[in-house]
Amino acid sequence: MLFSSNVFLFAFLPVVLLLYFVCPRRLRNPVLLLWSLVFYGWGEPVYLFLMIATILLNYGFGLWIHKKQTAGEKGKLPLVLGVVANLVILGFFKYAGFFVQQLQAVVPFLSGVKAPEISLPIGISFYVFQSMSYVIDVYRNDAPVQKNPLTFGTYVTLFPQLIAGPIVRYKDVAEQMEVRRENVHDFASGVQLFVLGLGKKVLLANPMGNLWNLLQAEGGTLTAWVGILAYSLQIYFDFSGYSDMARGLGRMFGFEFLENFNYPYISASITEFWRRWHISLSTWFREYVYIPLGGNRKGLPRQILNLLIVWGLTGFWHGASWNFILWGLYYAVLLILEKLFLLKLLKKAPGILGHIYTIFAVLLGWVLFYFENLSSLFGFFGRLFTASPASVHGLNLVLAFTPMILISMFAATPAAKVLLSNSREKAVVRYGAVAVVMVMLLLCVAALASQSYNPFIYFRF
């Protein structure tokens, strides 16, 4: 079920909100758990069993670690088994087919073995990482053990962030799972944030995605660059819009999730970009992979190796394909170069050069990210760097979408937010914001009624 669908907006969400607020407070977590399972099972009911098994497995490992630690032991065995179990689940459903294909390429007698066709459960990368972080944090004493299986199940399945994040670590919401106080102010703020995210998705991401699809069929260097710019705007508004909707929904139910995007396209370096883009994923890999590997504490050669490992895994997390691994290693190389000398040069250079370098590098990165077929990938790079004329139809598409591109580029900056925050007429801004939200919601509903293109890119991960 998509947030940006009429079924969700006018049926599922109103029913859940009504039942949630009319039931006694002690039953609110079970209500959320039940309806989160309905939300997840709407399109793939068979994978509800996998979801429930994952919940019970990690709930049990958390109790086992707590029991060991209460007895004076470290609890390392259940930690290792818990991490391995989660990785096996993720690896089987996401990477089994990929590994069989790679083995077939190097072992001749396996060439006749049919690679398993396993459909990817929606959101598995997100909820497995959340569950694994819980087990690790209980072991580290960074989070309290949860002894109520319904409460733990609510944490894992919480429908606002279940499908595509942000990755919410248990230690960040442990207190909220037990005690939270919903209020009118937070609810209204949540509605406003949700509609803002919906607007990003429906009014900006979808048109940019449509333009990208149209321009891929055109030849020419100009249309290739405009196309990858459109894709960069699509993926930003698609994913940051979903994150805003998730945070807004969470706030309606009394939860406060951490921010996942902070205007990444205004960055002046790749280091800064990854502090602003998909913050929950970057934080997860830093906390649970980079730092345990030694981080930057064991000398420069080890730090470089750690960065290569972390970013190789970050790329592979996104999908079982070589282009994602190349994408991750591409950013590893850029970050290593920045740590070695490039950041120092950028600080001495005019600020605009840092922004140009970052946008250029990110655009090339999105080419690596998008094309899973390597021949298509290299073919598109050829279009970018081989001067060739665009077709008349391609130029007409670029001209027709130019206003929307400019609006999207402006919306990807904090300019509007800064202007509003500096306004002296706070009451005007407040009431104006309410009017904008209402108009945006009406525009989104109208657009949803007419648009046939309405995917969420990160559902596939």
Side-chain angles (χ1 to χ4, degrees), residues 54-94:
T54 302
I55 292 170
L56 295 176
L57 191 71
N58 287 283
Y59 170 74
F61 279 121
L63 290 179
W64 189 3
I65 291 171
H66 178 69
K67 182 178 179 181
K68 287 283 188 181
Q69 292 179 337
T70 302
E73 302 177 40
K74 290 185 177 180
K76 198 165 188 177
L77 176 61
L79 168 69
V80 171
L81 292 177
V83 171
V84 169
N86 280 287
L87 292 178
V88 166
I89 291 171
L90 184 60
F92 176 77
F93 284 97
K94 193 165 184 175

Side-chain angles (χ1 to χ4, degrees), residues 47 91-101 104 113-121:
Y47 286 123
F92 176 77
F93 284 97
K94 193 165 184 175
Y95 304 108
F98 174 79
F99 284 123
V100 170
Q101 290 174 0
Q104 287 175 333
V113 178
K114 186 179 180 181
E117 296 181 2
I118 303 170
S119 61
L120 183 66

Side-chain angles (χ1 to χ4, degrees), residues 19-32:
L19 293 176
Y20 179 83
F21 282 105
V22 299
C23 75
R25 190 169 294 279
R26 69 180 184 279
L27 296 179
R28 288 183 177 178
N29 279 348
V31 165
L32 280 179

Side-chain angles (χ1 to χ4, degrees), residues 359-390:
I359 289 297
F360 179 75
V362 169
L363 288 177
L364 295 185
W366 288 134
V367 178
L368 288 169
F369 189 86
Y370 180 82
F371 290 101
E372 295 186 25
N373 182 286
L374 294 185
S375 62
S376 299
L377 169 65
F378 295 127
F380 192 82
F381 271 123
R383 283 181 60 190
L384 289 175
F385 296 105
T386 302
S388 59

